[in-house]
């Protein structure tokens, strides 16, 4: 695993505009970067892929355990009135769309799971589409060898899954929703809509704030169309606490992501994994903060519902060495063994390993000068050479 300097494509900003990548620069800072790329060998990619597949199966075993335990449902801070809704989504095998596992990996040692973004992962468009475009352009320009490849079958798997939802699961129309005033979320949802369209699945877009509740308890769009199937880039832990959460069970909606993903996207997953698979080579020791656990010299404190690094603290020998402010924490905390991200120059690099339809299928890399990766951390493309 190497970080290799390379010439930027002279027209990449124009291409970004052409293809609707409107958040390549955010708040005056570069988000998409291509002055360098990360180079992997095929063996290294296989190591990431195998670890991701195994971790995912372990995570699904955690879901099975949690849905069968009132104690654990409460420990995961799922409101009691939503328990049966979550359980039914799992027991009826409601299909899921995609997930991103954040891994520490240096190209040598086994990848370690930091967390599982299984409900509302972003950075999808840039990982699935724009970095593939980068690879093709750089090969054509002679800046990468002809045999250069990329670990990235995300788009074809997304299109295949949308076709399966249409043909096997009977989806005739799929609504897509995200919050207003979030350009990155809107870009992610637009990309997913494009994939659905490629698969021949009809779709409609609306903002979360525009979803209505009809007289018969059904959710509806701005045209008073009943919403039967909905992809929402909006966290389950928020939805469970909305006024309409008591209507979720009876609304007749097939949700993407399904409600059981609320278990996988919760940091409470991490202590459960460690309890069920202690000392697994792809796991870091993790415990509920309120439970008795072995002392650790260097660890991370994470809220159960934290996103984009919010409210995360790093402790070393009793001293706080890094923190990110945010709105989370009241719901409870976990502690996780610290594992430093590999450092290249003055930045630390995190690997996001993607799954579509339960299958590992690609990676995206984020860099930050800070120890904690956040929403504005830079995205870099990658290539397989050797």
């Amino acid at each position: 695993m190497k970080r290799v300097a390379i010439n930027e494509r002279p027209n990449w900003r124009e291409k970004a505009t052409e293809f609707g990548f409107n958040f390549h620069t955010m708040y005056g800072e570069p988000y998409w970067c291509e002055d360098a790329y990360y180079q992997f060998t095929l063996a290294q990619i296989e190591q990431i892929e195998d670890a991701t597949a195994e971790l995912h199966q372990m995570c699904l075993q955690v879901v099975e355990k949690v849905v069968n335990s009132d104690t654990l449902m409460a420990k995961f801070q799922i409101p009691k009135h939503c328990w049966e809704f979550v359980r039914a989504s799992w027991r009826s095998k409601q299909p899921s769309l995609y997930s991103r596992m954040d891994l520490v990996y240096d190209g040598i040692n086994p990848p370690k799971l930091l967390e599982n973004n299984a409900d509302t992962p972003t950075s999808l468009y840039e990982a699935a589409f724009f970095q593939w475009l980068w690879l093709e352009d750089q090969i054509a320009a002679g800046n990468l060898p002809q045999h250069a490849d990329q670990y990235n079958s995300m788009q074809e798997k997304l299109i295949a899954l949308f076709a399966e939802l249409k043909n096997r699961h009977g989806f005739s129309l799929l609504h897509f929703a995200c919050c207003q005033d979030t350009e990155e979320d809107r870009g992610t949802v637009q990309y997913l809509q494009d994939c659905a369209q490629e698969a021949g699945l009809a779709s409609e877009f609306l903002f979360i704030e525009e979803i209505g509740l009809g007289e018969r308890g059904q959710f509806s769009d701005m045209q008073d169309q009943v919403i039967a199937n909905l992809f929402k880039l909006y966290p389950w832990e928020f939805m469970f606490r909305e006024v309409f959460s008591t209507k979720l069970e009876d609304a007749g909606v097939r949700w993407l992501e399904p409600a059981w993903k609320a278990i996988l996207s919760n940091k409470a997953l991490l202590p459960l994994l460690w309890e069920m698979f202690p000392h697994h080579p792809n796991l870091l020791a993790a415990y509920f903060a309120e439970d008795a656990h072995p002392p650790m010299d260097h660890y991370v404190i994470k809220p159960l519902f934290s996103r984009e690094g919010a409210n995360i603290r790093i402790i070393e020998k009793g001293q706080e060495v890094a923190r990110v402010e945010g709105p989370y924490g009241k719901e409870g905390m976990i502690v996780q063994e610290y594992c430093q991200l590999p450092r290249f120059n003055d930045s630390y690099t995190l690997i996001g390993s993607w799954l579509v339809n339960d299958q590992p299928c690609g990676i995206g890399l984020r860099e930050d000068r800070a120890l904690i990766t956040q929403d504005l951390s830079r995205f870099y493309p990658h290539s397989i050479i050797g």
Side-chain angles (χ1 to χ4, degrees), residues 84 105 119 121 369 375:
E84 289 311 311
Y105 182 61
D119 183 18
R369 292 183 183 87
D375 58 342

Side-chain angles (χ1 to χ4, degrees), residues 52-224:
T52 301
E54 186 168 355
L55 284 165
H56 182 60
Q57 292 305 312
M58 290 156 57
C59 288
L60 296 181
Q61 290 182 55
V62 172
V63 178
E64 177 68 22
K65 182 171 183 172
V66 173
V67 297
N68 287 302
S69 165
D70 288 356
T71 302
L72 288 175
M73 292 287 272
K75 195 90 167 174
F76 274 64
Q77 295 296 312
I78 296 170
K80 191 170 184 178
H81 69 273
C82 297
W83 287 2
E84 289 311 311
F85 176 63
V86 172
R87 285 169 169 152
S89 74
W90 174 250
R91 290 169 181 162
S92 61
K93 296 182 168 57
Q94 289 183 16
S96 66
L97 193 63
Y98 70 130
S99 299
R100 190 193 76 233
M101 292 186 180
D102 287 344
L103 306 175
V104 180
Y105 182 61
D106 60 4
I108 302 164
N109 297 294
K112 301 279 190 183
L113 177 67
L114 289 179
E115 59 190 59
N116 191 350
N117 300 279
D119 183 18
T120 58
T122 53
S123 77
L124 174 71
Y125 169 86
E126 47 274 38
F129 178 76
F130 206 69
Q131 73 166 338
W132 182 261
L133 201 63
W134 167 88
L135 178 78
E136 291 182 325
D137 288 346
Q138 292 290 29
I139 291 172
N143 294 327
L144 289 175
Q146 287 294 317
H147 66 273
D149 201 356
Q150 192 175 91
Y151 178 39
N152 187 359
S153 60
M154 296 165 66
Q155 182 162 300
E156 71 182 63
K157 282 188 169 59
L158 283 167
I159 293 169
L161 177 53
F162 282 123
E164 185 179 315
L165 292 174
K166 176 175 180 271
N167 300 323
R168 185 175 154 205
H169 294 279
F171 282 46
S172 57
L173 174 67
L174 177 58
H175 280 81
F176 287 84
C178 68
C179 288
Q180 291 175 315
D181 305 320
T182 54
E183 194 162 23
E184 184 181 3
D185 287 7
R186 184 68 185 96
T188 300
V189 170
Q190 181 61 61
Y191 174 66
L192 286 168
Q193 253 191 291
D194 291 345
C195 290
Q197 183 178 347
E198 190 72 24
L201 176 57
S203 68
E204 296 277 358
F205 174 81
L206 75 166
F207 290 110
I208 288 284
E209 295 87 347
E210 295 173 339
I211 295 175
L213 187 64
E215 292 178 6
R216 297 180 181 178
Q218 296 170 307
F219 293 119
S220 59
D221 64 16
M222 297 291 282
Q223 287 74 45
D224 292 326

Side-chain angles (χ1 to χ4, degrees), residues 77 79 81-82 178-179 207-211 213 219 232-249 255:
Q77 295 296 312
H81 69 273
C82 297
C178 68
C179 288
F207 290 110
I208 288 284
E209 295 87 347
E210 295 173 339
I211 295 175
L213 187 64
F219 293 119
K232 44 92 199 148
L233 198 65
Y234 186 67
W236 275 116
E237 67 263 22
F238 291 179
M239 292 186 69
F240 290 160
R241 287 158 178 82
E242 300 275 7
V243 174
F244 63 73
S245 62
T246 56
K247 310 293 184 183
L248 290 170
E249 200 166 357
W255 300 91

